[in-house]
Every structure is written in structure tokens, then in C-alpha cells.
Coordinates of all heavy atoms in Angstrom, one line a residue:
M1 N -144.3 -56.9 -51.2 CA -145.4 -57.9 -51.0 C -146.7 -57.3 -50.5 O -146.6 -56.6 -49.3 CB -144.9 -59.1 -50.3 CG -145.8 -60.1 -50.2 SD -145.1 -61.5 -49.2 CE -146.3 -62.6 -49.4
K2 N -147.8 -57.5 -51.0 CA -149.0 -56.8 -50.6 C -149.7 -57.8 -49.6 O -149.7 -59.0 -50.0 CB -149.8 -56.6 -51.9 CG -151.1 -55.7 -51.4 CD -151.8 -55.3 -52.8 CE -152.9 -54.4 -52.4 NZ -153.5 -54.1 -53.6
L3 N -150.0 -57.2 -48.5 CA -150.7 -58.1 -47.5 C -152.3 -58.2 -48.0 O -153.0 -57.3 -48.2 CB -150.7 -57.5 -46.1 CG -151.2 -58.3 -45.0 CD1 -150.4 -59.5 -44.8 CD2 -151.2 -57.4 -43.7
A4 N -152.7 -59.6 -48.0 CA -154.1 -59.9 -48.5 C -154.4 -61.2 -47.8 O -153.6 -62.0 -47.6 CB -154.2 -59.9 -49.9
L5 N -155.7 -61.4 -47.5 CA -156.2 -62.5 -46.9 C -156.7 -63.3 -48.0 O -157.4 -62.9 -49.2 CB -157.3 -62.2 -45.9 CG -156.9 -61.6 -44.6 CD1 -158.2 -61.4 -43.8 CD2 -155.9 -62.4 -43.9
K6 N -156.8 -64.6 -47.9 CA -157.3 -65.5 -48.9 C -158.8 -65.4 -48.9 O -159.4 -65.0 -47.8 CB -157.0 -67.0 -48.7 CG -155.4 -67.2 -48.8 CD -155.0 -68.6 -48.7 CE -153.5 -68.7 -48.9 NZ -153.0 -70.0 -49.1
P7 N -159.6 -66.0 -49.9 CA -161.1 -65.7 -49.9 C -161.7 -66.5 -48.8 O -162.7 -65.7 -48.1 CB -161.4 -66.4 -51.2 CG -160.3 -66.3 -52.1 CD -159.0 -66.4 -51.1
L8 N -161.4 -67.5 -48.4 CA -162.1 -68.2 -47.2 C -161.8 -67.4 -45.8 O -162.8 -67.2 -45.2 CB -161.7 -69.7 -47.0 CG -162.5 -70.3 -46.0 CD1 -164.1 -70.4 -46.2 CD2 -162.0 -71.7 -45.7
A9 N -160.6 -67.0 -45.8 CA -160.2 -66.3 -44.6 C -161.0 -64.9 -44.5 O -161.4 -64.3 -43.5 CB -158.7 -66.0 -44.5
S10 N -161.1 -64.3 -45.7 CA -161.8 -63.0 -45.8 C -163.3 -63.2 -45.5 O -163.8 -62.3 -44.8 CB -161.7 -62.5 -47.2 OG -160.4 -62.2 -47.6
D11 N -163.9 -64.2 -45.9 CA -165.3 -64.5 -45.6 C -165.5 -64.8 -44.1 O -166.4 -64.1 -43.5 CB -165.8 -65.7 -46.3 CG -165.9 -65.6 -47.9 OD1 -166.0 -64.5 -48.3 OD2 -165.9 -66.6 -48.5
I12 N -164.6 -65.4 -43.4 CA -164.7 -65.7 -42.0 C -164.5 -64.3 -41.3 O -165.1 -64.0 -40.4 CB -163.7 -66.7 -41.6 CG1 -164.2 -68.1 -42.1 CG2 -163.5 -66.8 -40.1 CD1 -163.1 -69.2 -42.0
F13 N -163.5 -63.5 -41.8 CA -163.2 -62.2 -41.1 C -164.5 -61.3 -41.2 O -164.8 -60.6 -40.1 CB -161.9 -61.5 -41.9 CG -161.6 -60.1 -41.3 CD1 -160.9 -60.1 -40.1 CD2 -162.1 -59.1 -41.9 CE1 -160.6 -59.0 -39.5 CE2 -161.8 -57.8 -41.3 CZ -161.1 -57.7 -40.2
I14 N -165.1 -61.2 -42.5 CA -166.2 -60.4 -42.7 C -167.3 -61.0 -41.6 O -168.0 -60.0 -41.1 CB -166.6 -60.3 -44.0 CG1 -165.5 -59.6 -44.8 CG2 -168.0 -59.6 -44.3 CD1 -165.7 -59.6 -46.3
T15 N -167.6 -62.2 -41.7 CA -168.6 -62.7 -40.9 C -168.5 -62.3 -39.4 O -169.4 -61.9 -38.7 CB -168.8 -64.3 -41.0 OG1 -169.0 -64.5 -42.5 CG2 -169.9 -64.7 -40.2
I16 N -167.4 -62.5 -38.8 CA -167.0 -62.2 -37.5 C -167.1 -60.7 -37.2 O -167.7 -60.3 -36.2 CB -165.6 -62.8 -37.0 CG1 -165.6 -64.2 -37.0 CG2 -165.3 -62.0 -35.7 CD1 -164.3 -64.9 -36.9
Y17 N -166.6 -60.0 -38.3 CA -166.7 -58.5 -38.0 C -168.2 -57.9 -38.0 O -168.5 -57.2 -37.1 CB -166.1 -57.8 -39.3 CG -166.1 -56.3 -39.2 CD1 -165.2 -55.5 -38.4 CD2 -167.0 -55.7 -40.0 CE1 -165.3 -54.1 -38.4 CE2 -167.1 -54.1 -40.1 CZ -166.3 -53.6 -39.1 OH -166.3 -52.1 -39.2
V18 N -169.1 -58.6 -38.9 CA -170.5 -58.3 -38.8 C -171.1 -58.5 -37.6 O -171.9 -57.8 -37.1 CB -171.2 -58.8 -40.1 CG1 -172.6 -58.7 -40.0 CG2 -170.8 -58.1 -41.3
I19 N -170.9 -59.8 -37.0 CA -171.4 -60.2 -35.8 C -171.1 -59.4 -34.7 O -171.8 -58.9 -33.8 CB -171.2 -61.7 -35.6 CG1 -171.9 -62.5 -36.6 CG2 -171.5 -62.1 -34.0 CD1 -171.4 -64.0 -36.5
I20 N -169.7 -59.0 -34.6 CA -169.3 -58.1 -33.5 C -169.9 -56.7 -33.7 O -170.3 -56.2 -32.6 CB -167.7 -58.1 -33.6 CG1 -167.1 -59.5 -33.1 CG2 -167.1 -57.0 -32.6 CD1 -165.7 -59.5 -33.2
T21 N -169.9 -56.2 -34.8 CA -170.4 -54.8 -34.9 C -171.9 -54.8 -34.6 O -172.4 -53.8 -34.0 CB -170.2 -54.3 -36.4 OG1 -170.6 -55.0 -37.3 CG2 -168.6 -54.1 -36.6
L22 N -172.8 -55.8 -35.1 CA -174.1 -55.8 -34.6 C -174.4 -55.9 -33.1 O -175.2 -55.3 -32.6 CB -174.7 -56.9 -35.4 CG -175.2 -56.8 -36.8 CD1 -175.7 -58.1 -37.4 CD2 -176.2 -55.6 -37.0
F23 N -173.5 -56.7 -32.5 CA -173.5 -56.9 -31.1 C -173.2 -55.6 -30.4 O -173.9 -55.1 -29.5 CB -172.4 -57.9 -30.6 CG -172.4 -58.1 -29.0 CD1 -173.4 -58.8 -28.3 CD2 -171.4 -57.5 -28.4 CE1 -173.4 -58.8 -27.1 CE2 -171.2 -57.6 -27.0 CZ -172.3 -58.3 -26.4
I24 N -172.2 -54.7 -30.9 CA -171.8 -53.6 -30.3 C -173.0 -52.5 -30.5 O -173.4 -51.8 -29.5 CB -170.6 -53.0 -31.0 CG1 -169.3 -53.7 -30.5 CG2 -170.3 -51.5 -30.7 CD1 -168.1 -53.5 -31.3
R25 N -173.6 -52.5 -31.6 CA -174.7 -51.6 -32.0 C -175.9 -52.0 -31.0 O -176.6 -51.1 -30.4 CB -175.1 -51.6 -33.4 CG -174.2 -50.9 -34.3 CD -174.6 -50.9 -35.7 NE -175.8 -50.1 -35.8 CZ -176.5 -50.2 -36.9 NH1 -176.3 -51.0 -38.0 NH2 -177.7 -49.6 -37.1
F26 N -176.3 -53.2 -30.9 CA -177.3 -53.6 -30.1 C -177.2 -53.4 -28.6 O -178.0 -52.9 -27.9 CB -177.7 -55.0 -30.2 CG -178.4 -55.4 -31.7 CD1 -178.2 -56.6 -32.2 CD2 -179.1 -54.5 -32.2 CE1 -178.7 -57.0 -33.4 CE2 -179.8 -54.7 -33.5 CZ -179.5 -56.0 -34.1
K27 N -175.9 -53.7 -28.1 CA -175.5 -53.3 -26.9 C -175.6 -51.7 -26.5 O -176.1 -51.4 -25.4 CB -174.2 -54.0 -26.5 CG -173.8 -54.1 -25.1 CD -174.6 -55.1 -24.5 CE -173.9 -55.5 -23.2 NZ -174.8 -56.4 -22.4
F28 N -175.1 -51.0 -27.5 CA -175.1 -49.7 -27.1 C -176.5 -49.1 -27.2 O -176.8 -48.2 -26.3 CB -174.2 -48.9 -28.3 CG -174.0 -47.4 -28.1 CD1 -173.3 -46.9 -27.0 CD2 -174.7 -46.5 -28.9 CE1 -173.1 -45.7 -26.9 CE2 -174.5 -45.2 -28.7 CZ -173.8 -44.7 -27.8
E29 N -177.2 -49.5 -28.1 CA -178.7 -49.0 -28.1 C -179.5 -49.4 -26.9 O -180.3 -48.8 -26.5 CB -179.4 -49.4 -29.4 CG -178.8 -48.8 -30.7 CD -179.4 -49.4 -32.1 OE1 -180.3 -50.0 -31.9 OE2 -178.7 -48.9 -33.1
Y30 N -179.2 -50.6 -26.4 CA -179.9 -51.1 -25.2 C -179.6 -50.4 -24.1 O -180.5 -50.0 -23.2 CB -179.6 -52.7 -25.0 CG -180.4 -53.2 -23.9 CD1 -181.6 -53.5 -23.8 CD2 -179.7 -53.5 -22.6 CE1 -182.4 -54.0 -22.7 CE2 -180.2 -54.2 -21.6 CZ -181.7 -54.3 -21.6 OH -182.2 -54.9 -20.5
N31 N -178.3 -50.1 -23.8 CA -177.9 -49.2 -22.6 C -178.2 -47.9 -22.7 O -178.5 -47.2 -21.7 CB -176.3 -49.5 -22.4 CG -175.9 -50.8 -22.0 OD1 -176.8 -51.6 -21.5 ND2 -174.7 -51.2 -22.3
N32 N -178.3 -47.3 -23.9 CA -178.6 -45.9 -24.0 C -179.8 -45.8 -24.8 O -180.0 -45.7 -25.9 CB -177.5 -45.3 -24.9 CG -177.7 -43.7 -24.8 OD1 -178.6 -43.1 -24.2 ND2 -176.8 -43.0 -25.6
T33 N -181.0 -45.7 -24.0 CA -182.4 -45.8 -24.6 C -182.7 -44.5 -25.1 O -183.7 -44.5 -26.0 CB -183.4 -46.1 -23.4 OG1 -183.3 -45.1 -22.5 CG2 -183.2 -47.3 -22.9
S34 N -182.1 -43.4 -25.1 CA -182.3 -42.2 -25.6 C -181.6 -42.0 -26.9 O -181.4 -40.9 -27.4 CB -182.1 -40.9 -24.7 OG -180.7 -41.0 -24.3
M35 N -181.0 -43.0 -27.5 CA -180.1 -42.9 -28.7 C -181.0 -42.7 -29.9 O -182.1 -43.3 -30.1 CB -179.4 -44.2 -28.9 CG -178.5 -44.3 -30.0 SD -177.6 -45.8 -30.0 CE -176.9 -45.6 -31.7
S36 N -180.7 -41.8 -30.6 CA -181.5 -41.4 -31.9 C -181.2 -42.3 -32.9 O -180.2 -43.0 -33.2 CB -181.1 -39.9 -32.3 OG -179.9 -39.9 -32.9
P37 N -182.3 -42.4 -33.7 CA -182.1 -43.4 -35.0 C -180.9 -42.9 -36.0 O -180.4 -43.9 -36.5 CB -183.5 -43.4 -35.6 CG -184.4 -42.9 -34.5 CD -183.7 -42.0 -33.6
V38 N -180.8 -41.6 -36.0 CA -180.0 -41.1 -36.9 C -178.4 -41.5 -36.5 O -177.7 -41.9 -37.3 CB -179.9 -39.5 -37.0 CG1 -178.8 -39.0 -37.8 CG2 -181.3 -39.1 -37.6
L39 N -178.2 -41.5 -35.1 CA -176.9 -42.0 -34.7 C -176.6 -43.4 -34.9 O -175.6 -43.9 -35.3 CB -176.8 -41.6 -33.2 CG -175.4 -41.9 -32.6 CD1 -174.3 -41.3 -33.2 CD2 -175.6 -41.7 -31.1
S40 N -177.6 -44.1 -34.9 CA -177.5 -45.6 -35.2 C -177.2 -45.9 -36.6 O -176.4 -46.7 -36.9 CB -179.0 -46.4 -34.8 OG -178.9 -47.7 -35.1
I41 N -177.9 -45.1 -37.6 CA -177.6 -45.3 -39.0 C -176.2 -44.8 -39.2 O -175.5 -45.5 -40.0 CB -178.6 -44.4 -39.7 CG1 -180.0 -45.0 -39.6 CG2 -178.2 -44.3 -41.2 CD1 -181.1 -44.3 -40.2
V42 N -175.7 -43.7 -38.5 CA -174.3 -43.3 -38.8 C -173.2 -44.3 -38.4 O -172.3 -44.5 -39.0 CB -174.1 -41.9 -38.1 CG1 -172.7 -41.6 -38.1 CG2 -174.9 -40.8 -38.7
M43 N -173.6 -45.0 -37.2 CA -172.7 -46.0 -36.7 C -172.6 -47.1 -37.6 O -171.7 -47.7 -38.0 CB -173.2 -46.5 -35.3 CG -172.7 -45.7 -34.1 SD -173.4 -46.2 -32.5 CE -173.2 -48.0 -32.7
G44 N -173.8 -47.5 -38.2 CA -173.9 -48.6 -39.2 C -173.1 -48.3 -40.5 O -172.4 -49.2 -41.0
V45 N -173.3 -47.0 -40.9 CA -172.6 -46.6 -42.1 C -171.0 -46.7 -42.0 O -170.3 -47.1 -42.8 CB -173.0 -45.2 -42.6 CG1 -172.2 -44.6 -43.7 CG2 -174.6 -45.3 -43.1
C46 N -170.6 -46.2 -40.8 CA -169.2 -46.2 -40.4 C -168.6 -47.6 -40.4 O -167.5 -47.9 -41.0 CB -169.0 -45.5 -39.0 SG -169.3 -43.7 -39.2
F47 N -169.3 -48.5 -39.9 CA -168.9 -49.9 -39.8 C -168.9 -50.5 -41.2 O -167.9 -51.3 -41.6 CB -169.9 -50.7 -39.0 CG -169.6 -50.6 -37.5 CD1 -170.7 -50.6 -36.6 CD2 -168.4 -50.4 -37.0 CE1 -170.6 -50.3 -35.3 CE2 -168.2 -50.2 -35.7 CZ -169.3 -50.2 -34.8
I48 N -169.8 -50.1 -42.1 CA -169.8 -50.7 -43.5 C -168.6 -50.0 -44.3 O -168.1 -50.7 -45.1 CB -171.2 -50.2 -44.1 CG1 -172.2 -51.3 -43.5 CG2 -171.1 -50.5 -45.6 CD1 -173.6 -50.9 -43.9
V49 N -168.3 -48.8 -44.1 CA -167.2 -48.2 -44.7 C -165.9 -48.7 -44.5 O -165.0 -48.8 -45.4 CB -167.2 -46.5 -44.5 CG1 -165.9 -45.9 -44.9 CG2 -168.4 -46.0 -45.1
V50 N -165.7 -49.2 -43.1 CA -164.5 -49.9 -42.9 C -164.4 -51.2 -43.7 O -163.4 -51.4 -44.3 CB -164.4 -50.3 -41.4 CG1 -163.3 -51.1 -41.0 CG2 -164.4 -48.9 -40.5
I51 N -165.3 -51.9 -43.8 CA -165.2 -53.2 -44.6 C -165.1 -52.9 -46.1 O -164.4 -53.5 -46.8 CB -166.6 -54.0 -44.4 CG1 -166.5 -54.7 -42.9 CG2 -166.7 -55.1 -45.4 CD1 -165.4 -55.8 -42.9
W52 N -165.8 -51.9 -46.6 CA -165.9 -51.6 -48.0 C -164.4 -51.1 -48.4 O -163.8 -51.4 -49.4 CB -166.8 -50.4 -48.2 CG -166.7 -49.9 -49.6 CD1 -167.3 -50.4 -50.8 CD2 -166.1 -48.6 -50.0 NE1 -166.9 -49.6 -51.9 CE2 -166.2 -48.6 -51.5 CE3 -165.3 -47.6 -49.3 CZ2 -165.7 -47.5 -52.2 CZ3 -164.7 -46.6 -50.1 CH2 -165.0 -46.5 -51.5
S53 N -163.8 -50.2 -47.5 CA -162.4 -49.7 -47.7 C -161.4 -50.9 -47.7 O -160.5 -51.0 -48.5 CB -162.0 -48.6 -46.8 OG -161.9 -49.2 -45.5
L54 N -161.5 -51.9 -46.9 CA -160.7 -53.0 -46.8 C -160.8 -53.8 -48.1 O -159.8 -54.3 -48.6 CB -160.9 -53.9 -45.6 CG -160.3 -53.3 -44.3 CD1 -160.8 -54.2 -43.1 CD2 -159.0 -53.2 -44.4
I55 N -162.0 -53.9 -48.7 CA -162.2 -54.8 -49.9 C -161.6 -53.9 -51.1 O -160.9 -54.4 -52.0 CB -163.7 -55.1 -50.1 CG1 -164.2 -55.9 -49.0 CG2 -163.9 -55.5 -51.5 CD1 -165.6 -56.3 -49.1
K56 N -161.8 -52.7 -51.0 CA -161.2 -51.7 -52.2 C -159.6 -51.8 -52.1 O -159.1 -51.6 -53.2 CB -161.7 -50.4 -52.0 CG -163.2 -50.2 -52.5 CD -163.3 -50.5 -54.0 CE -164.7 -50.6 -54.3 NZ -164.9 -51.0 -55.8
L57 N -159.1 -51.9 -50.9 CA -157.7 -51.8 -50.9 C -157.1 -53.3 -51.2 O -155.8 -53.5 -51.1 CB -157.2 -51.5 -49.5 CG -157.5 -50.0 -49.0 CD1 -157.2 -49.7 -47.7 CD2 -156.5 -49.2 -49.9
K58 N -158.0 -54.2 -51.4 CA -157.6 -55.5 -51.9 C -157.0 -56.4 -50.6 O -156.3 -57.3 -50.8 CB -156.6 -55.6 -53.0 CG -157.2 -55.0 -54.2 CD -158.3 -55.8 -54.8 CE -158.6 -55.1 -56.2 NZ -159.8 -55.7 -56.8
F59 N -157.3 -55.9 -49.4 CA -156.8 -56.6 -48.2 C -157.7 -57.9 -48.1 O -157.3 -58.9 -47.7 CB -156.8 -55.8 -46.9 CG -156.5 -56.5 -45.8 CD1 -155.1 -57.0 -45.5 CD2 -157.4 -56.9 -44.8 CE1 -154.9 -57.6 -44.4 CE2 -157.1 -57.5 -43.7 CZ -155.8 -58.0 -43.4
L60 N -159.1 -57.5 -48.2 CA -160.1 -58.7 -48.2 C -160.5 -59.1 -49.6 O -160.6 -58.2 -50.4 CB -161.4 -58.2 -47.5 CG -161.1 -57.9 -46.0 CD1 -162.3 -57.3 -45.4 CD2 -160.6 -59.1 -45.2
N61 N -160.6 -60.3 -49.7 CA -161.0 -60.9 -51.1 C -162.2 -61.9 -50.9 O -162.0 -63.0 -50.9 CB -159.8 -61.6 -51.7 CG -158.6 -60.8 -52.0 OD1 -158.7 -59.7 -52.6 ND2 -157.4 -61.2 -51.4
P62 N -163.3 -61.2 -50.7 CA -164.4 -62.2 -50.3 C -164.8 -63.0 -51.5 O -164.8 -62.6 -52.7 CB -165.5 -61.1 -49.9 CG -165.2 -59.8 -50.6 CD -163.7 -59.8 -50.7
N63 N -165.2 -64.2 -51.2 CA -165.8 -65.1 -52.1 C -167.3 -65.4 -51.8 O -167.9 -66.0 -52.5 CB -164.9 -66.4 -52.1 CG -165.4 -67.5 -53.2 OD1 -165.9 -67.0 -54.2 ND2 -165.0 -68.6 -53.0
W64 N -167.7 -64.9 -50.8 CA -169.1 -64.9 -50.3 C -169.4 -66.4 -50.1 O -170.5 -66.9 -50.6 CB -170.1 -64.2 -51.2 CG -169.7 -62.8 -51.5 CD1 -169.3 -62.3 -52.7 CD2 -169.6 -61.7 -50.5 NE1 -169.0 -61.0 -52.6 CE2 -169.1 -60.7 -51.3 CE3 -169.7 -61.6 -49.2 CZ2 -168.9 -59.4 -50.6 CZ3 -169.5 -60.4 -48.5 CH2 -169.2 -59.3 -49.3
F65 N -168.5 -67.2 -49.6 CA -168.6 -68.7 -49.3 C -169.1 -69.3 -50.6 O -169.8 -70.5 -50.3 CB -169.6 -69.0 -48.1 CG -169.2 -68.3 -46.9 CD1 -169.7 -67.1 -46.3 CD2 -168.1 -69.0 -46.2 CE1 -169.3 -66.6 -45.1 CE2 -167.7 -68.3 -44.9 CZ -168.2 -67.2 -44.5
G66 N -168.8 -68.9 -51.8 CA -169.0 -69.7 -53.0 C -170.4 -69.5 -53.5 O -170.9 -70.2 -54.4
L67 N -171.1 -68.5 -53.0 CA -172.6 -68.3 -53.4 C -172.7 -67.7 -54.7 O -173.7 -68.0 -55.5 CB -173.3 -67.5 -52.4 CG -173.5 -68.1 -51.0 CD1 -174.2 -67.1 -50.0 CD2 -174.3 -69.4 -51.0
F68 N -171.9 -66.8 -55.0 CA -171.9 -66.1 -56.3 C -170.7 -66.5 -57.2 O -169.8 -65.8 -57.4 CB -172.0 -64.6 -56.1 CG -173.1 -64.2 -55.3 CD1 -172.9 -63.8 -53.9 CD2 -174.3 -64.2 -55.7 CE1 -174.0 -63.3 -53.1 CE2 -175.5 -63.8 -54.8 CZ -175.1 -63.5 -53.7
N69 N -170.7 -67.6 -57.9 CA -169.7 -68.0 -58.8 C -169.8 -67.4 -60.1 O -171.1 -67.5 -60.7 CB -169.7 -69.5 -58.9 CG -169.1 -70.2 -57.7 OD1 -168.4 -69.6 -57.0 ND2 -169.5 -71.5 -57.4
S70 N -168.9 -66.6 -60.5 CA -169.2 -65.9 -61.8 C -168.7 -66.9 -63.0 O -169.2 -66.6 -64.1 CB -168.2 -64.7 -61.9 OG -166.8 -65.0 -61.7
K71 N -167.9 -68.0 -62.8 CA -167.5 -68.8 -63.8 C -168.4 -70.1 -63.8 O -168.7 -70.6 -62.7 CB -166.1 -69.2 -63.6 CG -165.2 -68.1 -63.8 CD -163.8 -68.6 -63.7 CE -162.8 -67.4 -63.7 NZ -161.4 -67.8 -63.4
I72 N -168.8 -70.5 -65.0 CA -169.7 -71.7 -65.1 C -168.7 -72.9 -65.1 O -167.8 -72.9 -66.0 CB -170.6 -71.7 -66.4 CG1 -171.4 -70.5 -66.3 CG2 -171.4 -73.0 -66.5 CD1 -172.3 -70.3 -67.5
K73 N -168.9 -73.8 -64.2 CA -168.1 -74.9 -64.2 C -168.7 -76.0 -65.2 O -169.9 -76.4 -65.2 CB -168.1 -75.7 -62.7 CG -167.5 -74.8 -61.7 CD -167.7 -75.5 -60.3 CE -167.0 -74.5 -59.3 NZ -167.1 -75.1 -58.0
E74 N -167.6 -76.5 -66.0 CA -168.1 -77.6 -66.9 C -167.8 -79.0 -66.2 O -166.8 -79.2 -65.7 CB -167.4 -77.4 -68.1 CG -167.6 -76.1 -68.8 CD -166.9 -75.9 -70.2 OE1 -166.4 -77.0 -70.6 OE2 -166.8 -74.9 -70.8
S75 N -168.7 -79.9 -66.6 CA -168.4 -81.3 -66.1 C -168.0 -82.2 -67.0 O -167.8 -82.0 -68.2 CB -169.6 -81.8 -65.3 OG -170.9 -81.5 -66.0

């Protein structure tokens, strides 16, 4: 059995992850004023690679809160 989150749980997980990682980056940059922009970009790319790999492994199944529906609903 493959472990995977449902679309809504995936959306909530990704949202919380993004908020926490942005908080970590802002906090780190605020405390360390001599931080180079390249290090900030590398940190951001590393955080994005983690989410990207979880989506590619099908652990996360984002639905983007229903914003991008690929199927047209008929009424």
C-alpha cells in the first residue's frame, strides 16, 4: 500500500510548509545581516526541491484548492 495524502490534505500541507519555510528564511536573513543573496536563493531552491520530490513520488496530490480544474463540469 502506497502512502499518499488526499488532495485537500496535500494542499493544506503545502500551504503550511511554504509559510514555515518563508518564516525560516526571513528569520535567518534578519538575524544574519551578512547573508549573501546566493545563499538565500540556494535555501529557497532546496525547499522547493523537497516539495517537488514529494509531488513526483505521489505522496502529495495537490489540487491547488480547486483553482485549476482540468475537467469541464456539465450542468
Side-chain angles (χ1 to χ4, degrees):
M1 181 176 188
K2 192 173 184 180
L3 184 64
L5 292 178
K6 294 185 179 191
L8 182 61
S10 295
D11 291 340
I12 293 170
F13 179 84
I14 291 171
T15 303
I16 292 171
Y17 180 81
V18 167
I19 290 170
I20 290 172
T21 56
L22 283 175
F23 176 75
I24 290 171
R25 286 181 65 196
F26 290 147
K27 194 74 166 170
F28 185 71
E29 291 175 11
Y30 178 73
N31 289 338
N32 188 4
T33 57
S34 64
M35 183 175 168
S36 71
V38 174
L39 183 58
S40 177
I41 291 171
V42 168
M43 278 178 41
V45 168
C46 289
F47 287 140
I48 290 172
V49 166
V50 169
I51 286 290
W52 176 80
S53 63
L54 289 175
I55 291 172
K56 286 296 178 185
L57 289 172
K58 303 288 186 190
F59 177 73
L60 295 175
N61 301 307
N63 188 21
W64 310 114
F65 295 106
L67 293 177
F68 302 111
N69 289 333
S70 59
K71 296 180 181 176
I72 299 173
K73 295 180 182 178
E74 296 181 21
S75 42

